[in-house]
Amino acid sequence: MKVGLGYDVHRLVEDRKLILGGIEIPHEKGLLGHSDADVLLHAIKDAILGAAALGDIGKHFPDTNEKYKDADSLKLLEEVTNLINKKGYMVNNIDATIIAEKPKMAPYIEIMRENIARVLDVSVEQVNIKATTTEGLGFVGSGEGIAAQAIASIVIK
């Protein structure tokens, strides 16, 4: 078994959709980024790539490439899954944390888990997502951004 760690953060801005875990969440602001800025999926992709020693999402999906402008992070997660499958690996487990003051994530977590499990071709029981706040501290607490952390384990098929 191999293990990788991922982390991502994006700024919250007006006139953008808030996409997390592949779903649109109603909120007055969205995350700024070259792609859909889904911090949760970005952290998960980095964790999986790290476990397979394949670099990071910047290497595979650079923000200098217009092909990835407004890209759907679920589709990019599918590409990451294909990359590790070609190396003979499959995802064993994902554990991720969304760090956001608002909005509340609890109503959306099960749908996120289902989306991620479907794309990774694993059971929902192999994908865990949690959410926490920073109790008003820092850029997350002041509503300036959202962060996510993830750890992934992969095994030989």
Side-chain angles (χ1 to χ4, degrees):
M1 180 183 349
K2 294 184 170 203
V3 177
L5 180 67
Y7 174 80
D8 196 34
V9 62
H10 283 274
R11 178 182 307 275
L12 281 164
V13 297
E14 302 283 336
D15 300 319
R16 287 277 297 194
K17 294 178 181 179
L18 178 58
I19 309 291
L20 289 170
I23 63 171
E24 184 176 342
I25 297 173
H27 193 53
E28 65 269 9
K29 293 182 178 179
L31 294 168
L32 181 63
H34 185 69
S35 68
D36 62 10
D38 188 328
V39 292
L40 175 62
L41 294 183
H42 290 188
I44 289 171
K45 288 181 289 191
D46 267 345
I48 294 167
L49 289 167
L54 289 173
D56 61 19
I57 60 174
K59 174 182 175 182
H60 295 277
F61 314 110
D63 63 7
T64 54
N65 188 332
E66 283 302 306
K67 175 181 176 181
Y68 303 115
K69 177 81 173 131
D70 298 321
D72 179 339
S73 288
L74 277 174
K75 290 185 177 156
L76 300 181
L77 181 60
E78 188 174 343
E79 289 187 39
V80 167
T81 303
N82 292 336
L83 282 170
I84 67 161
N85 287 342
K86 286 178 187 172
K87 286 202 69 161
Y89 295 108
M90 59 183 271
V91 170
N92 179 58
N93 190 65
I94 299 290
D95 187 25
T97 303
I98 302 166
I99 308 160
E101 210 65 28
K102 293 180 187 173
K104 294 295 182 192
M105 299 295 157
Y108 309 102
I109 286 179
E110 286 309 309
I111 299 167
M112 292 178 193
R113 290 178 66 214
E114 291 167 7
N115 280 343
I116 294 163
R118 177 179 40 79
V119 171
L120 295 176
D121 195 26
V122 299
S123 75
V124 173
E125 288 75 27
Q126 291 170 275
V127 178
N128 189 56
I129 300 171
K130 306 173 295 289
T132 192
T133 70
T134 60
E135 302 293 330
L137 299 173
F139 72 90
V140 170
S142 66
E144 294 177 62
I146 294 177
Q149 299 176 333
I151 190 163
S153 64
I154 62 174
V155 293
I156 296 173
K157 285 178 151 189

